[in-house]
Every structure is written in C-alpha cells, then in structure tokens.
Amino acid sequence: MESVYLDNNATTKIDDRVFAAMRPYLTNHFAHPSSSHLLGAKVREKIERARDSVAVLLGTSHPDEIVFTSGGTESINTAIKGVLAASLTRNHIVTTEVEHISVLNICLYEANHWRQVTYLPVDREGRLDLDELRRSFTDHTAIVSVMWANNETGVVFPIEEIGVIVKERGIIFHVDAVQAVGRIPINLRKLSQVDLLSLSGHKFHGPKGVGALFVRRGTKLHSLIAGGPQEGMRRAGTENVASIIGMGKAAELASIYLEEENTRVRQLRDRLEAGIIEQIHGTRVNGNREKRIPNTTNVTFSGCGAGKLLKDMEAHGIYTTSGAACTGGLSPSHVLMAMGLTPSEALSSIRFGLSRYNTKTEIDYVISVLTMIAKNLKTGVSLSLTASA
Ligand code: PLP
C-alpha cells in the first residue's frame, strides 16, 4: 500500500471540486470584490454565495452572521479579544484545561495583561463537570470559551447544556467548533445560546488559511483587525477570494457528506479501534467513547513509545501523529495529562483521524502493520531500522 493518511484532525485533503471552484478566482476572475464595476460585482456575488453555504452548514438563517477570517486561530482571537475589548467592566474568561493551544495562548496573554482566567478541569474520560462551570462565574465574567470537539481525543462537550448555564448569567458564549464542523450536525437556529462560533476551512476538505467566525446578531464585538469596511466592519482587509469560494464549496459538500461521516467513517474508526484493542495487548482508548466525533480515536499503547511507533508506521506509509500538529514535538499532551494520564502513558498515545477518503482495505492494513510493529517494539525490534536497512 502506497500511503494511508490518518491525520485528518491536523488537516484534510482538499476536495477536487473545491479546487476546481477556486481556480477561476486565482486566474481569470481576479477583480477586487469591492470594485463597483461588473467584474468586481461578479466576484462579490460568489463571496456572498460562499457565505450562504457556510450559513447553511451551521444552520443559521442569517448569512450576515458569518464573518470570513484567515482560519480557526484568527476567528478564536477575534471572538475572545473582541469580546473583552467591547466590555468595559468584565475582565474574566472561563475556559477549559483541554482547549486548543490557540485558545490557551490567548488566555495566557490576557492573564499577563491583568485579566483573570479560570481553566475548568475534565475527568478521566475528558468530560466537563457542569457544577464546576456554574461555580466559576463571577460578576466580571465576560466570556466562556469552550471547544465543541477535542482535537486530540474527539470528545464532544455538551454545548447546549453549557450554553443554557452560561446564558442564565448573561455571559457571552464562544464555541471553538474547528473539529466539529463537517463531522457532526450543527444547528445554530436551535442552539440559540451560542453567540460566537469558530471554524476552519482546512478541517473539512477546504483550503488552508481561511475560516469563519459566526457572530450572532446583537453580539457586542470589537474588530481585531482595523482597516477597510469589509465583512460588515468586523474584519478589515481585501478578502481571500479564492479561498473563501473554496471554503463555500467545501461547506456545500460537507452538508452532503455529513451522513457518510456519521455512518461509513464512524464504522471505519470503530473497526480500527476494535482491531487495535483485540490484536494488541495493553492498548486503551482515551476519552468517552459515546460522546465523540465520528472520525477520531486516541489510543495508548502501553510499553511502546509514540515516537518509535510513529516512525515505524511511517516506514510502512502510515501517517498520523501523537497529538495536536500545532504543538509539535513529543512532549506529553496537555489534554491527556488533564485527563489524568501519566506522562509516560501520554507519551505512548497516538491520535488517529479518519476522513471520507479512507477505505476498509486501508484500515485493515493499518491494523495488521500496527500489530506487527507493537509486537516488535515490545520485544525491542524497530521496524524503521529494518525497513531502511
Ligand atoms: N481549534 C482547534 C480545536 C483546532 O484543532 C485547530 C487546528 O488544529 C484550531 C483551533 C486552529 O485552526 P487553524 O489551523 O485554522 O488556525
């Protein structure tokens, strides 16, 4: 087998139809979307259709609630910093210990600038204690920011329940839905508690460097980037036209493939998980197995270092990681440590992220290669050495 890509929580393959939709806007249709002539108007029209597609995927009837950004990180920065800047009296952020590094580093920055941050813990299965959430509020809480789905374990937080608790106190609620969009249904008409929601194009077979922030009408938010009047004065700068159009196409396709993510992709993930657990002694799945996005599993291989395991898998054309791509390196995952794993267990854990491009043949290949590798690692033989010999 040439290669098996199982790192879809880091990024996904761009869909050919997405690239085809983008191409003309990198070549012939290059006009500025704010130009008042016909060529500009045609580009503007395509941007608005992309906004419609993202709105449909998120289940909002108001496309003007979608603000295009340069990706998940910018959306999250705009949400948290924008809410704090717009609030004169509130300076407290509530978030969780298992957030993506983009959220954690904003919180670190804000804490260094005299704002207060509460980090909610999770249990062994990666779940939040909602009473802890209730207890965390003060009269100065400006925003609660939690992720919908964890990028390392796939564990899903109960967004509706959290939203009800947050809104009882009149606090702004931001959801980092970067790993959830395109993998589970999202209906912001029904989830009226969510004020802000971040997403990223490259996690659902769109291009990299483009994302969106859902801003519910009436939410008080300062713009992060000052300049022109683009995006309803909420994000200045000439639009990344081709990428926005690409993300619009990816959103349209994600709406169609949502069913497949939750059936075929889920079955493949479960097959991989069951195969690993049955075949390899001392393996354990991390995170609640019921409340998870359908494409992700995180497994601890006791007695096998993740670094070696990954190298040996790569020698057989299997690509995945030990955790978040953005954190890099092989230090123990903050997510797994927050769930109570020891550093050595965390350093023996691997994340597998599937997509609609994976097949049953690939998954069976991965199970058989992993079984052989794990057996050899436990007896001290490295396959990356034998493969390169
Ligand atoms: N939030 C989560 C949960 C993520 O997994 C990621 C990316 O991995 C981000 C935010 C950042 O998104 P982007 O890569 O578009 O900046």
Side-chain angles (χ1 to χ4, degrees):
M1 186 149 308
E2 217 170 86
S3 77
V4 183
Y5 183 78
L6 292 179
D7 197 16
N8 286 281
N9 297 53
T11 198
T12 57
K13 174 185 174 342
I14 194 163
D15 190 295
D16 289 345
R17 290 160 287 184
V18 168
F19 182 60
M22 292 171 70
R23 209 170 190 286
Y25 296 86
L26 290 164
T27 52
N28 295 343
H29 302 299
F30 57 84
H32 195 294
S34 298
S35 291
S36 55
H37 50 64
L38 182 66
L39 298 184
K42 281 188 171 164
V43 175
R44 163 67 48 208
E45 171 62 18
K46 284 297 281 191
I47 288 183
E48 296 315 315
R49 295 296 69 77
R51 204 183 304 281
D52 292 344
S53 301
V54 174
V56 168
L57 182 62
L58 299 185
T60 166
S61 332
H62 309 301
D64 59 293
E65 292 179 323
I66 307 300
V67 177
F68 290 123
T69 66
S70 69
T73 300
E74 186 191 320
S75 299
I76 293 165
N77 271 266
T78 306
I80 300 177
K81 293 185 179 178
V83 165
L84 290 171
S87 170
L88 293 175
T89 54
R90 294 175 176 234
N91 66 350
H92 175 224
I93 307 167
V94 175
T95 189
T96 80
E97 286 181 357
V98 295
E99 296 299 305
H100 185 259
I101 191 162
S102 52
V103 172
L104 295 178
N105 277 343
I106 296 166
C107 291
L108 190 63
Y109 173 89
E110 295 299 341
N112 285 333
H113 290 77
W114 302 284
R115 289 193 163 110
Q116 263 126 41
V117 185
T118 300
Y119 299 93
L120 301 170
V122 294
D123 68 10
R124 185 84 198 177
E125 297 207 343
R127 293 170 303 194
L128 271 185
D129 177 345
L130 298 185
D131 286 329
E132 284 267 3
L133 171 70
R134 282 191 193 89
R135 283 195 290 273
S136 70
F137 301 144
T138 73
D139 291 342
H140 298 292
T141 307
I143 184 166
V144 172
S145 182
V146 302
M147 64 204 324
W148 196 319
N150 189 276
N151 48 304
E152 295 191 31
T153 60
V155 170
V156 165
F157 283 153
I159 294 304
E160 187 168 0
E161 269 179 272
I162 296 172
V164 168
I165 296 167
V166 173
K167 296 321 280 184
E168 271 168 9
R169 293 290 297 257
I171 296 163
I172 298 202
F173 186 31
H174 167 246
V175 177
D176 170 2
V178 165
Q179 294 289 344
V181 171
R183 297 193 174 126
I184 51 175
I186 293 182
N187 184 347
L188 290 171
R189 264 184 298 268
K190 204 168 141 258
L191 271 180
S192 59
Q193 303 86 2
V194 174
D195 300 301
L196 299 157
L197 181 138
S198 294
L199 63 100
S200 175
H202 71 104
K203 306 290 184 180
F204 54 98
H205 306 289
K208 295 170 185 59
V210 66
L213 177 65
F214 161 82
V215 183
R216 193 174 292 282
R217 287 179 177 178
T219 307
K220 286 206 177 77
L221 186 78
H222 277 199
S223 169
L224 189 70
I225 299 174
Q230 289 90 354
E231 297 300 297
M233 307 286 284
R234 293 166 298 186
R235 202 279 187 178
T238 301
E239 296 87 341
N240 182 355
V241 174
S243 294
I244 288 172
I245 292 168
M247 186 170 67
K249 186 69 188 175
E252 192 188 309
L253 294 168
S255 297
I256 297 167
Y257 282 101
L258 208 48
E259 168 82 23
E260 184 173 339
E261 286 282 334
N262 286 278
T263 51
R264 198 183 68 83
V265 176
R266 182 187 294 275
Q267 283 158 13
L268 288 181
R269 189 273 312 268
D270 292 348
R271 184 179 183 90
L272 173 65
E273 210 168 72
I276 290 173
I277 288 173
E278 262 168 40
Q279 303 292 330
I280 308 171
H281 180 69
T283 46
R284 200 189 57 230
V285 173
N286 296 310
N288 185 279
R289 291 174 77 170
E290 305 305 314
K291 303 256 167 10
R292 271 188 306 172
I293 43 174
N295 79 316
T296 309
T297 180
N298 187 308
V299 181
T300 299
F301 294 80
S302 299
C304 304
K308 213 86 189 79
L309 215 44
L310 290 170
K311 254 208 169 122
D312 285 350
M313 282 201 282
E314 194 171 320
H316 287 85
I318 302 167
Y319 299 93
T320 184
T321 51
S322 59
C326 318
T327 13
L330 265 185
S331 48
S333 145
H334 71 282
V335 173
L336 299 180
M337 298 281 282
M339 288 163 62
L341 272 73
T342 63
S344 136
E345 285 170 330
L347 286 170
S348 307
S349 302
I350 295 206
R351 170 184 76 180
F352 301 90
L354 283 72
S355 82
R356 63 182 186 244
Y357 291 106
N358 289 121
T359 63
K360 193 161 152 278
T361 313
E362 285 182 343
I363 296 305
D364 290 346
Y365 171 72
V366 173
I367 296 169
S368 69
V369 168
L370 254 174
T371 307
M372 174 179 62
I373 289 173
K375 217 175 260 166
N376 283 335
L377 272 183
K378 285 182 186 185
T379 52
V381 182
S382 168
L383 289 179
S384 56
L385 290 179
T386 34
S388 58

